[in-house]
């Protein structure tokens, strides 16, 4: 009996890392990329909580290198100088205020933890950092941490350049520099303890979990070693003994020796194949059809659902960085993008993360966007512009706010309504018209063919009149968009023209008149 209890306790400890710690029936995360803490706090209160969002992934909060050429790129956030909480998103007091205000309305905060490396080797020296701390990249001297030359992997890397030269060599990938970023020696207990101390400060403030940046570039055992030093979550908002949610950035498209599965012991992993394949299918490239999505998920070679964090696009690959290539759908392809996000949020696979972006002036040369470095909308002094809300609830100041698009917001709510219900009632026409249900709670249907749809299909839903939550929603017991009539046998007629603004319809029991 004692052994069984110990095993159950160990399983409980293990399970904690995979659970996003959201309030019940709030299932999706939104990445408010480069938002200021003050704006996130307000968005939690006025929009995210009322619309059932579970949590927010925030940009790295720690001190980073200030880069003025090119002018304040988004990637300067991934060049740490120290673990002090001050960045262009705000200072420590503003960060604490955001975490408290979001938690108070049941919206969790997940921090993007950049702990594989410090700034680039060419970062120079001085105080050009977001808190003004002195550093000397050439000497590996970061006194604000403190780290010194002893704390880096320079001696372990066996390439001539000190950089990763081959992704087929797991030692290079984990012991050499990624894009010249100074690689921390994570086998050293001092480095592990310093990272854990930073993460514990955030946990004690009320943070619910972490995205581990560049996890593929760290040994799984080294990550486990600093995760084992983490505190339980703050009991002001979480039940006693709750572990932080962990999801690790492991880009595994199947062609390299390092596999996402090597990291399952630490937490979930980012399933990059998800957005790359879904984009290919919805674009109808390579002969792919939506009918093939019937066994979506593990059937497509993805990691197990209970180990996956999924997304249509992320801050890297929407710019052509990271993984996925040209098939990745983004806000620039709004019509197809809404279909992809709708499919993701309706389908039970994985923990879902919605992207919320900012615009930049795209300019292509030889197929590459030469402005992919652009940082967030900024004032002339380099400070980040506030997120303004227009009368129609969209965002101003060049913030895209996909999470506020009616179709995406309403599908976030759909996912909450059908949470825990099985994938059911699949239908397809052998081409790009498909439909499926979630038990007796929700149903979604797509027409991605070049001809009009007029079909009767089984929804699995109780009889009644439902409001389509894509073209509108239920307000004051009326539909602001299309209506769908489900008969006593669960059948319904769906008509979607190929030129429809949004060629899909979704209904659920909370949108029934």
């Amino acid at each position: 009996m004692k052994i069984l209890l110990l095993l159950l306790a160990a399983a409980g400890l293990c399970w904690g890392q995979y659970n996003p710690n959201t309030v019940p029936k709030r299932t999706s995360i939104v990445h408010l990329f480069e938002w200021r803490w003050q704006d996130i706090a307000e968005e939690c209160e006025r929009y995210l909580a009322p619309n059932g969002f579970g949590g927010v992934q925030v940009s790295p909060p720690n001190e980073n290198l200030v880069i003025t050429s090119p002018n304040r790129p988004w990637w300067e956030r991934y060049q740490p100088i120290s673990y002090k909480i001050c960045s262009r998103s705000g200072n420590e007091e503003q960060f604490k205020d955001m975490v408290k205000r979001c938690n108070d309305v049941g919206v969790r905060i997940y921090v993007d933890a950049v702990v594989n490396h410090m700034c680039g080797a060419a970062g120079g020296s001085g105080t050009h950092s977001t808190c003004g701390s002195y550093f000397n990249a050439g000497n590996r001297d970061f006194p604000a941490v403190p780290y010194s030359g002893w704390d880096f992997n320079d001696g372990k890397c066996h390439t001539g350049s000190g950089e990763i030269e081959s992704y087929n060599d797991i030692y290079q990938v984990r012991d050499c520099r990624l894009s010249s970023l100074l690689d921390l020696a994570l086998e050293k207990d001092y480095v592990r303890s310093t990272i854990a101390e930073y993460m514990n400060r955030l946990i004690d403030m009320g943070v619910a979990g972490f995205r581990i940046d560049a996890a593929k570039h760290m040994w799984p055992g080294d990550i486990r070693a600093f995760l084992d030093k983490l505190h339980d979550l703050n009991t002001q908002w979480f039940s006693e003994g709750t572990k932080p949610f962990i999801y690790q950035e492991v880009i595994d498209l199947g062609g390299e020796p390092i596999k996402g599965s090597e990291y399952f012991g630490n937490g979930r992993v980012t399933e990059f194949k998800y957005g790359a394949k879904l984009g290919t299918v919805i674009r109808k490239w390579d002969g792919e059809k939506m009918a093939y999505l019937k066994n979506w998920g593990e059937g497509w070679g993805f990691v197990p659902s209970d180990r996956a964090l999924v997304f249509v696009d992320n801050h890297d690959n929407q710019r052509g960085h990271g993984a996925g290539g040209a098939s990745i759908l983004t806000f620039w392809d709004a019509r197809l993008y809404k279909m992809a996000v709708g499919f993701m949020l309706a389908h039970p696979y994985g923990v879902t993360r919605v992207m919320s972006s900012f615009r930049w002036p795209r300019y292509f040369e030889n197929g590459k966007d030469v402005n992919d470095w652009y940082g967030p909308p900024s004032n002339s002094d380099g400070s980040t512009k506030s997120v303004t809300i227009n009368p129609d609830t969209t965002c101003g100041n060049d913030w895209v706010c996909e999470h506020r698009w009616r179709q995406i917001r309403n599908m976030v709510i759909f996912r909450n309504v059908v949470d825990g219900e099985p994938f059911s009632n699949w239908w397809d026409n052998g081409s790009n018209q498909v439909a499926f249900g979630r038990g007796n709670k929700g149903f979604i249907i797509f027409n991605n063919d070049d001809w009009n749809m007029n079909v009767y299909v089984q929804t699995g839903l109780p009889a009644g009149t439902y409001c389509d939550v894509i073209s509108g929603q239920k307000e004051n017991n009326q539909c602001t968009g299309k209506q769908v009539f489900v008969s006593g046998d669960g059948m319904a007629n769906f008509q979607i023209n190929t030129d429809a603004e949004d060629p899909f319809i979704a209904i659920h029991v909370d949108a029934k008149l």
Side-chain angles (χ1 to χ4, degrees):
M1 185 68 189
K2 194 173 177 185
I3 291 170
L4 178 65
L5 286 172
L6 282 171
L7 283 170
L8 286 171
L13 286 176
C14 186
W15 170 245
Q17 318 277 73
Y18 309 97
N19 181 351
N21 304 315
T22 49
V23 172
K25 294 294 176 185
R26 291 195 189 178
T27 54
S28 292
I29 295 168
V30 57
H31 183 191
L32 299 181
F33 180 48
E34 286 275 13
W35 281 42
R36 305 180 317 155
W37 311 143
Q38 194 178 327
D39 290 326
I40 294 174
E42 288 174 17
E43 190 72 348
C44 283
E45 293 166 344
R46 72 191 167 199
Y47 196 86
L48 300 180
N51 287 295
F53 285 81
V56 178
Q57 179 182 312
V58 302
S59 290
N62 58 287
E63 180 176 22
N64 61 262
L65 188 67
V66 171
I67 297 169
T68 51
S69 179
N71 189 34
R72 300 302 299 268
W74 63 268
W75 44 261
E76 76 168 35
R77 297 290 287 262
Y78 294 86
Q79 303 230 7
I81 294 300
S82 81
Y83 301 128
K84 293 177 182 176
I85 308 300
C86 62
S87 66
R88 61 179 163 205
S89 291
N91 60 31
E92 184 165 338
E93 285 315 304
Q94 291 164 326
F95 182 86
K96 283 180 179 169
D97 177 64
M98 169 193 70
V99 174
K100 179 185 188 307
R101 287 166 62 185
C102 290
N103 273 328
D104 284 349
V105 294
V107 180
R108 305 310 185 206
I109 298 294
Y110 311 100
V111 163
D112 195 349
V114 186
V115 295
N116 168 66
H117 54 261
M118 298 301 280
C119 72
S125 65
T127 55
H128 48 289
S129 56
T130 47
C131 305
S133 297
Y134 174 79
F135 68 96
N136 186 325
N139 292 344
R140 315 295 188 256
D141 186 25
F142 296 89
V145 180
Y147 285 140
S148 69
W150 297 105
D151 301 315
F152 292 89
N153 268 337
D154 298 294
K156 273 186 91 175
C157 174
H158 298 306
T159 64
S161 62
E163 302 284 317
I164 299 166
E165 294 173 4
S166 167
Y167 273 79
N168 288 315
D169 181 338
I170 62 170
Y171 295 95
Q172 285 186 36
V173 175
R174 290 163 170 163
D175 293 337
C176 297
R177 295 194 299 252
L178 164 68
S179 305
S180 296
L181 298 160
L182 297 172
D183 202 58
L184 284 164
L186 280 154
E187 79 275 8
K188 292 190 62 169
D189 190 64
Y190 171 72
V191 175
R192 293 169 173 179
S193 299
T194 303
I195 289 166
E197 186 185 341
Y198 162 55
M199 294 171 78
N200 281 331
R201 276 176 55 224
L202 298 170
I203 288 169
D204 295 348
M205 289 175 196
V207 162
F210 299 91
R211 171 192 182 263
I212 307 293
D213 178 67
K216 172 178 169 175
H217 299 281
M218 297 180 262
W219 293 93
D222 289 343
I223 296 175
R224 161 63 37 198
F226 66 72
L227 294 181
D228 282 344
K229 297 175 185 284
L230 296 188
H231 296 168
D232 293 341
L233 299 188
N234 188 319
T235 53
Q236 187 176 341
W237 298 287
F238 303 94
S239 52
E240 202 168 326
T242 305
K243 301 291 172 196
F245 179 43
I246 301 296
Y247 54 106
Q248 304 157 93
E249 186 202 16
V250 183
I251 300 175
D252 170 17
L253 294 176
E256 296 172 15
I258 293 176
K259 301 293 173 211
S261 55
E262 296 171 44
Y263 293 83
F264 290 169
N266 300 332
R268 289 186 183 250
V269 296
T270 50
E271 180 48 280
F272 277 85
K273 291 192 283 286
Y274 191 100
K277 296 284 190 193
L278 190 57
T280 303
V281 172
I282 287 182
R283 291 182 189 277
K284 300 187 276 196
W285 288 359
D286 303 340
E288 294 284 9
K289 298 173 181 175
M290 286 190 78
Y292 301 160
L293 296 173
K294 184 176 183 178
N295 66 338
W296 184 244
E298 289 96 340
W300 280 61
F302 301 165
V303 302
S305 180
D306 62 359
R307 293 295 178 268
L309 180 120
V310 299
F311 42 93
V312 172
D313 63 327
N314 79 342
H315 69 278
D316 274 314
N317 64 18
Q318 69 172 198
R319 292 167 168 73
H321 291 248
S327 73
I328 297 297
L329 287 165
T330 72
F331 68 88
W332 299 109
D333 316 287
R335 188 170 183 267
L336 297 180
Y337 185 71
K338 286 180 281 186
M339 288 175 68
V341 176
F343 184 92
M344 174 181 79
L345 292 169
H347 197 281
Y349 177 86
V351 166
T352 49
R353 183 182 64 199
V354 171
M355 184 67 199
S356 192
S357 318
F358 55 81
R359 283 179 200 83
W360 68 93
R362 291 209 292 179
Y363 183 71
F364 288 92
E365 283 181 7
N366 302 320
K368 185 187 185 304
D369 182 358
V370 296
N371 287 339
D372 61 7
W373 58 268
Y374 259 73
S378 299
N379 301 305
S380 55
D381 63 356
S383 62
T384 300
K385 284 185 177 176
S386 62
V387 178
T388 54
I389 307 300
N390 300 323
D392 66 356
T393 78
T394 60
C395 295
N397 270 350
D398 275 331
W399 298 96
V400 180
C401 298
E402 299 96 314
H403 69 286
R404 280 177 164 262
W405 295 1
R406 178 190 69 246
Q407 302 86 342
I408 291 176
R409 174 200 67 217
N410 286 348
M411 285 308 300
V412 166
I413 295 168
F414 178 106
R415 190 175 188 82
N416 294 339
V417 173
V418 304
D419 185 36
E421 295 292 317
F423 179 78
S424 57
N425 291 303
W426 175 268
W427 170 87
D428 68 69
N429 70 339
S431 184
N432 290 291
Q433 297 177 6
V434 303
F436 64 90
R438 294 293 301 277
N440 61 357
K441 295 281 183 72
F443 189 79
I444 191 166
I445 184 163
F446 298 83
N447 179 12
N448 198 29
D449 272 327
D450 301 328
W451 57 88
N452 296 343
M453 167 198 276
N454 185 350
V455 295
Y456 282 87
V457 292
Q458 176 58 247
T459 66
L461 297 187
T465 302
Y466 292 80
C467 299
D468 168 33
V469 298
I470 303 305
S471 60
Q473 60 220 7
K474 177 176 143 184
E475 281 176 20
N476 305 318
N477 208 34
Q478 291 182 310
C479 298
T480 63
K482 295 175 189 166
Q483 291 186 355
V484 176
F485 302 96
V486 175
S487 57
D489 59 0
M491 297 292 285
N493 172 239
F494 293 94
Q495 299 178 25
I496 305 174
N497 286 355
T498 186
D499 61 353
E501 180 192 348
D502 295 307
F504 63 114
I505 291 172
I507 55 177
H508 59 73
V509 290
D510 285 5
K512 184 174 177 238
L513 297 183

